Amino acid sequence: MNHEKKIPLIRLAKRDGMESWKVWCIRCGSILFALLLGALVMALAGANPVTAYGTMISGALGKKSAIRQTVKIAVPLLGCALAIAPCFKMRFWNIGAEGQITAGAIAASYFALFWANRLPSPVLLLVMGLAGALAGGLWALIPAFFKAKWNTNETLFTLMMNYIIIGVVRWLQGGPWEGRKGSQIIPQFDEAACLPRVLGVHCGWIIVLVLVVFMHIYMNHTKHGYEIAVIGDSVNTARYAGMNVGRVMMRTMFLSGAISGIVGFIVASGANNTLYDGVAGGVGFTSITVAWLSQLNAFAMVGISGLLAVLSKGAETLQTRMAVPTSISDIITGILLFCMLGCEFFINYKLIFRGAGRKEARHG
Amino acid sequence: MKKFLALLLSMILALSLAACGGDSGQSQPTVDKPADTQQPADSGSEPAEGKNVKVGLICIGDENDQGYTYNFIRGKEAATEALAAKGITVEWVVKWNIGEDSGCEDANIELAEEGCDLIINNSFGFEPFMLKVAPDYPEIEFIACTNQASWGDSLDNTHNAFANIYEGRYLAGIVAGMKLQQMIDEGTISADQAVIGYVGAFSFAEVISGFTSYFLGARSVCPSVTMKVQFVGSWSDATEEANAASALADMGCVMISQHSDNTTPATTAQSKGVFHTGYNNDMISVAPEASLIGTRINWAPYFEYVIESVANGESFDQDWCHGMDMDAVVMTDLNEAIAAPGTAEKLAEVEDQIRSGKLQVFDTSTFTIEGKALESAFALDTDGDFTPDSEEAVFDGAFHESYFQSAPYFALSIDGIEWLNSAF
């Protein structure tokens, strides 16, 4: 042990102004690195990595039916990433999208279950969508109101709200909306309350694509979007500029919740044709990754959510064909996300090794 | 940075080497059109008279549950062995841990696209999602175990199946009743202290039918017995099941039984010093001082029957339900060390009576509802409001369970059984 003052082995320094080609090289490199690490995991699990990756891709995109399923997985991810983007831009950590999706699904399901005979299908679907948006928006408005009024912690608040609303669905499943006694299952919706299919997938994909364009315009070319950006950069600047921060927060959260609510409507009406407590299925959390990876860029989200959907569908096929446990594919997805998020670190900081000239850095 | 790149490069090299090395003859059975493999009965395959059937199995859990899904896997393995002896090779594709949501629809599509000739859905809640896929693949047979909407629909390729598990429950009840009677006779408990505690998942027909038959079996040998049922609100929640068993023991129940997936009621019974009878699996190993016997569905006869039918290109029953007559319901080993003397003989006797049809489990002379004998009860729901409205189940002096359809429909609350919470 020597006690003389040493330069640490690795030092970090902030770097800015990296050329964009370099940035993209790092990003691509990180994906490559993740795929290699994933290959290692697969090899350990006893599968040939090359065949395994091939199986994943062909399983997700190899056939029309496979592509349809992949799109079905991507739709809620994309929709929800769009929903949380404005909140995150504002540095309002809304991790309650899960609950907002569920709230929207409940409201949509109410009309699906009890109004199916009273309204023509297009009107019914419209009402379901609006109800979903309203419910999701109101559910999101509650934590925003408390934050604006009393500066409560929005992370904890939105998270807790998730458990409440999921509890409500459990109650509905076993209580007033239950189908066969004791089954805990809400009956399937009437045909009129199910989203029609376009090209083999429920038309939720069209809705989210429209939302992509809307969100891009909203964030980049409107006064609202500008206010969100300013608040995200500095609340004090926003105040100084005369913005009503609390109001903007509530407005943005309502919008975010409303889009999540629409996603809830799409999932309940388009994919499941029923309501159950897992309607959000973790989408509210996974979409946070989608939003971050896309750097809150609406168009990039299309690609990222597609990538995650390919992985997820590919993992299923991997399990089917090669009997690789789905948990292995979860690990690979995890590695990929970790590397992709982690590489941003190397874009923003550079590592300076001690004694850059020396060949080997040994531990004392 | 250079060092890092070098490391990366060397890793790539190493891995690609490993990949090349491992690539020896690992060809996947690629199946593009399910139609091509549909008629495996055709003699065209390489083995002389070998027939191949590809079967998909969608499971709600995995075999580690040591209960519900594990029981299916046991059936799968036994059936595969039995069919191999008949020259039928079964290729299984199993999907684990599938939820009762659109993920189940995807799993069905996936298995259909992989070229399965037969797809078995093992959980009740899978059925509506299976039924969305079945119309698109008329050449593939679909089975929804334990549910009831497939056999009566307009599709020919959808099926239901279940077993008369109430027969096994009745026998388990006899083992419990004899133990209780022995305790009464020996003076360990008084006659009115013979109380059974039952851990039920939900107040669902399958559960109600199960605990009622269990109770009737116990009461046939121990007339003073009563029962308390605690619903836990989950098919599988180890902690809640243990809590329920513990609460029941504290309320004075000296015998615990269960309709839930875990073994925790058995271990709780042992730690509370009371007895237990199990379900789905032999629980003697986890609770040797408490667990008397268990009963389980044996899926092997059914799997063997349907797979053989598919292999031969024959159609099979759209709704299948058998019990002890075809060994579709079996008892696990009796724990002779703690069971009442004479239990094995009594079991054999009653089993014979059930097989021969001499004994009806839901004999209407053995129970009352609010003091009155049951004279009429409907079996099936035809208008979709989830209340039975057709097919009289009570005739010839008994309620005929699983007679009009495989899924149980006895959902009545009989005297002597106290429901502690029917919130679930």
Side-chain angles (χ1 to χ4, degrees):
Chain A
M1 296 287 133
N2 56 28
H3 294 277
E4 73 187 70
K5 204 174 172 192
K6 279 176 68 174
I7 309 166
L9 177 64
I10 302 169
R11 281 176 298 149
L12 298 175
K14 182 100 176 88
R15 72 168 146 209
D16 9 59
M18 198 191 239
E19 291 122 285
S20 76
W21 70 268
K22 266 190 183 166
V23 170
W24 282 105
C25 274
I26 292 183
R27 284 191 187 140
C28 294
S30 77
I31 293 175
L32 201 70
F33 182 66
L35 292 178
L36 283 169
L37 273 182
L40 201 68
V41 174
M42 283 189 207
L44 286 176
N48 179 338
V50 178
T51 340
Y53 279 127
T55 307
M56 285 179 85
I57 291 170
S58 78
L61 303 168
K63 266 185 256 175
K64 253 191 198 153
S65 70
I67 295 173
R68 282 184 201 140
Q69 290 179 76
T70 307
V71 171
K72 203 173 85 180
I73 298 171
V75 164
L77 277 178
L78 174 57
C80 194
L82 289 168
I84 54 176
C87 294
F88 277 32
K89 182 96 177 176
M90 197 173 65
R91 304 205 168 250
F92 185 104
W93 309 117
N94 173 20
I95 52 174
E98 195 89 351
Q100 290 141 25
I101 292 173
T102 310
I106 293 176
S109 299
Y110 165 76
F111 287 98
L113 291 169
F114 302 105
W115 288 74
N117 304 325
R118 294 187 241 175
L119 297 171
S121 181
V123 180
L124 176 67
L125 288 171
L126 198 69
V127 171
M128 284 167 68
L130 287 175
L134 191 67
L138 289 176
W139 198 251
L141 195 59
I142 300 168
F145 173 77
F146 277 78
K147 167 95 178 175
K149 211 72 177 163
W150 295 292
N151 199 25
T152 50
N153 180 323
E154 78 276 15
T155 318
L156 282 175
F157 207 132
T158 50
L159 184 68
M160 295 302 149
M161 296 286 282
N162 291 346
Y163 303 117
I164 297 173
I165 199 77
I166 288 169
V168 170
V169 180
R170 287 215 185 102
W171 167 69
L172 290 169
Q173 262 182 282
W177 291 3
E178 187 177 40
R180 194 177 166 210
K181 180 85 189 69
S183 66
Q184 306 286 309
I185 294 171
I186 295 171
Q188 293 274 308
F189 296 162
D190 191 276
E191 190 108 3
C194 300
L195 279 177
R197 286 172 185 234
V198 178
L199 300 177
V201 189
H202 63 77
C203 66
W205 65 271
I206 300 178
I207 302 177
V208 289
L209 286 182
V210 171
L211 285 175
V212 168
V213 177
F214 164 78
M215 196 43 83
H216 175 77
I217 296 171
Y218 183 79
M219 297 266 279
N220 298 307
H221 304 287
T222 66
K223 183 166 160 258
H224 284 187
Y226 180 71
E227 286 174 342
I228 289 169
V230 173
I231 292 177
D233 279 340
S234 159
V235 174
N236 287 333
T237 311
R239 281 217 182 87
Y240 189 69
M243 292 175 193
N244 184 340
V245 175
R247 233 191 61 135
V248 176
M249 252 175 208
M250 291 201 280
R251 186 184 67 205
T252 311
M253 263 304 264
F254 182 85
L255 177 75
S256 168
I259 296 175
S260 292
I262 291 173
V263 172
F265 151 69
I266 291 172
V267 174
S269 166
N272 291 326
N273 307 139
T274 185
L275 174 71
Y276 79 115
D277 58 356
V279 60
V283 162
F285 298 119
T286 315
S287 57
I288 295 175
T289 327
V290 176
W292 269 138
L293 284 175
S294 329
Q295 316 234 311
L296 308 182
N297 176 329
F299 293 109
M301 285 176 198
V302 181
I304 301 288
S305 57
L307 176 72
L308 285 189
V310 165
L311 279 173
S312 154
K313 175 66 181 62
E316 285 297 325
T317 312
L318 194 61
Q319 196 252 316
T320 310
R321 288 199 199 147
M322 300 178 74
V324 172
T326 26
S327 46
I328 291 287
S329 350
D330 289 344
I331 294 175
I332 292 164
T333 313
I335 291 174
L336 189 71
L337 295 181
F338 182 80
C339 289
M340 285 170 77
L341 283 171
C343 84
E344 300 301 318
F345 173 84
F346 291 99
I347 291 168
N348 290 317
Y349 297 92
K350 64 180 161 199
L351 303 182
I352 304 168
F353 287 89
R354 176 180 60 203
R358 250 188 284 167
K359 281 275 176 230
E360 283 287 323
R362 279 183 220 279
H363 292 280
Chain B
M1 206 62 202
K2 260 183 196 159
K3 211 184 302 173
F4 180 69
L5 277 175
L7 194 78
L8 240 174
L9 257 174
S10 56
M11 267 185 77
I12 294 173
L13 274 173
L15 276 168
S16 54
L17 273 175
C20 293
D23 205 12
S24 51
Q26 235 194 8
S27 62
Q28 286 306 310
T30 45
V31 188
D32 288 315
K33 290 171 199 157
D36 291 349
T37 54
Q38 180 42 33
Q39 294 301 343
D42 295 348
S43 55
S45 40
E46 309 100 55
E49 66 279 300
K51 294 171 181 169
N52 289 299
V53 183
K54 192 163 178 176
V55 184
L57 175 61
I58 301 174
C59 298
I60 183 106
D62 60 34
E63 50 196 328
N64 297 323
D65 67 2
Q66 288 297 308
Y68 190 78
T69 294
Y70 173 63
N71 197 30
F72 275 85
I73 300 311
R74 271 210 237 180
K76 154 187 173 273
E77 277 158 13
T80 311
E81 217 167 281
L83 288 162
K86 293 180 184 174
I88 298 170
T89 315
V90 190
E91 186 192 340
W92 290 89
V93 187
V94 187
K95 302 292 292 173
W96 307 108
N97 299 314
I98 301 296
E100 292 176 333
D101 51 45
S102 75
C104 173
E105 188 182 338
D106 292 342
N108 273 291
I109 294 175
E110 176 129 355
L111 290 175
E113 293 288 330
E114 284 301 309
C116 291
D117 309 302
L118 173 71
I119 297 173
I120 302 169
N121 288 258
N122 94 336
S123 187
F124 179 86
F126 286 164
E127 188 178 54
F129 301 99
M130 179 193 96
L131 289 177
K132 288 181 202 169
V133 181
D136 299 336
Y137 300 92
E139 73 284 1
I140 299 174
E141 305 294 333
F142 290 85
I143 299 169
C145 295
T146 80
N147 211 328
Q148 56 188 22
S150 297
W151 63 270
D153 64 2
S154 56
L155 299 168
D156 292 331
N157 64 331
T158 54
H159 311 260
N160 285 128
F162 204 33
N164 296 331
I165 188 63
Y166 62 88
E167 297 173 358
R169 294 274 193 203
Y170 188 82
L171 290 177
I174 284 180
V175 176
M178 288 185 75
K179 185 69 200 173
L180 291 171
Q181 193 58 46
Q182 182 201 12
M183 289 160 79
I184 295 170
D185 294 343
E186 288 171 356
T188 324
I189 56 169
S190 66
D192 56 353
Q193 281 174 333
V195 186
I196 298 172
Y198 199 95
V199 180
F202 295 105
S203 55
F204 183 51
E206 186 187 328
V207 180
I208 300 168
S209 167
F211 69 65
T212 306
S213 52
Y214 179 77
F215 177 71
L216 293 174
R219 197 161 67 177
S220 72
V221 290
C222 177
S224 66
V225 72
T226 54
M227 184 154 100
K228 293 181 199 296
V229 182
Q230 177 81 23
F231 296 103
V232 292
S234 167
W235 290 109
S236 179
D237 184 333
T239 315
E240 278 304 308
E241 291 167 41
N243 291 345
S246 176
L248 286 164
D250 291 343
M251 276 181 247
C253 299
V254 289
M255 178 72 66
I256 302 287
S257 189
Q258 64 181 96
H259 190 142
S260 55
D261 290 353
N262 293 286
T263 53
T264 45
T267 49
T268 309
Q270 172 150 321
S271 68
K272 289 275 177 182
V274 299
F275 293 100
H276 173 266
T277 66
Y279 181 47
N280 276 331
N281 197 357
D282 184 347
M283 298 186 182
I284 296 173
S285 58
V286 295
E289 291 154 36
S291 194
L292 292 162
I293 199 168
T295 183
R296 66 180 188 94
I297 293 175
N298 176 20
W299 287 102
Y302 178 64
F303 286 175
E304 197 182 325
Y305 160 66
V306 291
I307 295 171
E308 193 175 358
S309 303
V310 170
N312 295 328
E314 295 159 359
S315 62
F316 58 93
D317 288 351
Q318 277 205 283
D319 197 26
W320 187 94
C321 196
H322 282 277
M324 305 211 122
D325 55 336
M326 283 192 71
D327 286 330
V329 171
V330 291
M331 305 304 292
T332 63
D333 290 338
L334 179 68
N335 192 344
E336 302 263 12
I338 50 171
T343 304
E345 293 76 17
K346 180 75 182 170
L347 272 182
E349 180 197 326
V350 179
E351 199 177 318
D352 274 346
Q353 289 175 344
I354 290 176
R355 278 176 199 273
S356 67
K358 211 171 120 194
L359 187 146
Q360 286 285 350
V361 168
F362 295 97
D363 186 331
T364 45
S365 66
T366 61
F367 65 91
T368 54
I369 292 166
E370 287 170 357
K372 286 189 248 102
L374 178 67
E375 280 165 1
S376 168
F378 286 120
L380 305 183
D381 162 40
T382 49
D383 59 4
D385 65 353
F386 306 103
T387 316
D389 51 34
S390 74
E391 301 292 1
E392 178 56 56
V394 180
F395 57 90
D396 298 340
F399 180 99
H400 287 67
E401 175 64 303
S402 295
Y403 179 86
F404 295 102
Q405 68 169 22
S406 61
Y409 42 76
F410 186 96
L412 304 160
S413 174
I414 71 166
D415 297 332
I417 301 178
E418 185 191 349
W419 296 27
L420 294 178
N421 62 335
S422 47
F424 298 114

